[in-house]
Amino acid sequence: MSPARREELFRRLAAAIPDPKSELAFTTPFELLVAVVLSAQATDKGVNLATAKLFPVANTPEKIAALGVEGLEPYVKTIGLYRGKAKNVVALSRILIERHGGKVPRTREALEELPGVGRKTANVVLNVAFGEPTIAVDTHVFRVSNRTGLAPGKDPLEVELKLLKAVPKKYLQHAHHYLILHGRYTCVAKKPLCGKCPVFAQCEFKEKKKFAAQTPAGAVAR
């Protein structure tokens, strides 16, 4: 995709998504960290339902550590893989207390040392909590990047590195939210709403005309 086309693609996404932000509910960096760890292979909506009950009771490393795994599990049992996630959240809470004074670290290296935190989670925390221009590549970002021709790659890391070079600087801060939300509501996996797509002209998806014709009349692209 040419630089001019990439520029126009993000200009249009920015216009279509004027308030790009995480759909996870949180008020502190620690709450965000916990929510993102819980969100692996789960929906934001499902995580928000669980944390709406958890955070009023325990929303600091100290309170989570005090709950322990057995105390935390009832709050997150509606989320997939909850037992492993509960263990990770309690373990990372204890590490934050022991090594970081109960604060969420602001470096990728320190974040990735925490249980349950990989590169994607670290990128989300760095971007959303601390305003770093990182790009978290989830299934939506991976799909949109490959399907549109924006930053094709065979794995999330390759796509991330290509996006960091391809995204115009002025859009880098919110780029992954533009792509996540576009992939979640418009450029969906099985039947993309190409007929309602704000970046239809810039997209290099070979089947876009076919899916444009199949887009339901009442479909709404975000």
Side-chain angles (χ1 to χ4, degrees):
M1 185 178 291
S2 69
R5 181 169 284 192
R6 293 197 300 265
E7 177 83 26
E8 181 62 13
L9 181 145
F10 277 100
R11 188 192 69 77
R12 293 188 177 206
L13 285 179
I17 308 172
D19 187 26
K21 61 184 179 181
S22 174
E23 294 188 321
L24 290 169
F26 70 96
T27 59
T28 67
F30 179 72
E31 287 185 357
L32 174 65
L33 174 62
V34 170
V36 179
V37 170
L38 293 175
S39 71
Q41 299 181 49
T43 65
D44 288 358
K45 182 178 179 181
V47 172
N48 289 342
L49 289 173
T51 57
K53 297 178 180 179
L54 170 64
F55 288 158
V57 175
N59 69 338
T60 66
E62 292 79 9
K63 290 179 180 178
I64 292 288
L67 273 182
V69 176
E70 290 186 1
L72 178 58
E73 283 186 352
Y75 290 99
V76 299
K77 64 182 179 181
T78 56
I79 300 173
L81 308 174
Y82 76 93
R83 287 192 174 91
K85 292 177 181 179
K87 290 179 181 178
N88 285 335
V89 169
V90 171
L92 71 83
S93 296
R94 290 172 177 162
I95 291 173
L96 291 180
I97 295 167
E98 295 167 3
R99 302 181 191 173
H100 303 285
K103 303 293 184 182
V104 176
R106 299 185 61 153
T107 68
R108 183 193 307 282
E109 293 75 19
L111 284 167
E112 289 187 7
E113 289 176 354
L114 300 173
V117 178
R119 186 178 182 91
K120 183 183 75 174
T121 296
N123 279 339
V124 172
V125 173
L126 289 171
N127 179 268
V128 178
F130 302 125
E132 298 290 337
T134 56
I135 296 179
V137 179
D138 69 351
T139 55
H140 299 300
V141 176
F142 187 80
R143 178 176 65 255
V144 172
S145 297
N146 276 284
R147 181 181 278 168
T148 63
L150 173 65
K154 61 182 180 296
D155 56 53
L157 179 58
E158 183 178 359
V159 169
E160 178 190 337
L161 296 178
K162 284 189 174 182
L163 283 172
L164 289 172
K165 293 180 180 180
V167 177
K169 277 191 175 182
K170 64 182 177 181
Y171 297 113
L172 193 55
Q173 178 65 42
H174 297 299
H176 91 265
H177 280 128
Y178 291 138
L179 297 174
I180 286 172
L181 295 171
H182 182 61
R184 184 173 289 169
Y185 296 108
T186 305
C187 195
V188 295
K190 293 183 178 180
K191 294 182 179 180
L193 305 178
C194 297
K196 301 289 185 179
C197 179
V199 295
F200 182 87
Q202 291 69 43
C203 177
E204 297 177 357
F205 181 37
K206 292 181 179 179
E207 297 185 82
K208 66 181 184 180
K209 290 184 179 179
K210 180 186 80 172
F211 283 103
Q214 295 176 359
T215 300
V220 177
R222 180 163 178 166

